[in-house]
Amino acid sequence: MPQIRPITDLRNTTEISELCHARREPVFITKNGYGDLVIMSMETYESLTAAPARQEAGMCFLTEKEPVWAGMLADVLAQKGIPFVKESSLGAGMALRAGPLLETVRFYVPAARFPAARELVEELFSSGTDCPE
């Protein structure tokens, strides 16, 4: 069950720090009865934001695009039979909070397919902007 604490509890920094390290999950802080902050230990943060095992799977970063162009790129990669992984640059929580205007999508492809995928990206987005020619 998630730990929810009022903002006044932040005065006792030692107790909050110990709680974050002991629970190994985010602690939700409320202000006037509403959600306001989320705090966690550095270890928890790093485990939540760590890249998936892309390196172990031999995945290489291909490009980062806005959602509209990311959808198009995903379709083209799938049509060409190039496997890929895409992930939000903001993460699910921040994407919901910040909205879609700030979000971008990162693409990763297997190292063996990287040259072909890079060629497709250059062909689709050769003008150097997010708009195809």
Side-chain angles (χ1 to χ4, degrees):
M1 178 173 264
Q3 187 67 238
I4 302 171
R5 305 291 290 264
I7 199 164
T8 55
D9 283 6
L10 293 180
R11 291 180 185 149
N12 189 344
T13 57
T14 303
E15 178 186 341
I16 292 294
S17 175
E18 289 172 358
L19 175 67
C20 288
H21 287 281
R23 306 254 331 168
R24 296 181 184 232
E25 65 183 12
V27 175
F28 299 89
I29 305 297
T30 61
K31 183 177 181 181
N32 298 324
Y34 294 95
D36 187 46
L37 302 169
V38 176
I39 59 173
M40 63 189 83
S41 68
M42 289 299 293
E43 294 84 10
T44 302
Y45 174 79
E46 288 171 358
S47 71
L48 290 174
T49 59
R54 288 190 298 267
Q55 292 79 14
E56 294 172 15
M59 301 296 273
C60 297
F61 174 74
L62 177 63
T63 190
E64 186 170 343
K65 295 290 176 196
E66 293 175 353
V68 170
W69 303 119
M72 182 183 72
L73 179 58
D75 287 344
V76 171
L77 289 170
Q79 288 171 9
K80 298 292 183 177
I82 299 174
F84 62 91
V85 173
K86 54 182 200 170
E87 70 179 30
S88 170
S89 61
L90 297 178
M94 280 301 295
L96 289 174
R97 183 101 169 142
L101 296 177
L102 297 177
E103 184 179 19
T104 58
V105 179
R106 296 180 183 136
F107 283 83
Y108 299 86
V109 297
R113 303 300 301 269
F114 182 79
R118 185 74 214 148
E119 189 176 312
L120 280 173
V121 168
E122 289 172 4
E123 184 179 324
L124 290 170
F125 307 102
S126 62
S127 67
T129 67
D130 283 345
C131 298
E133 291 184 330

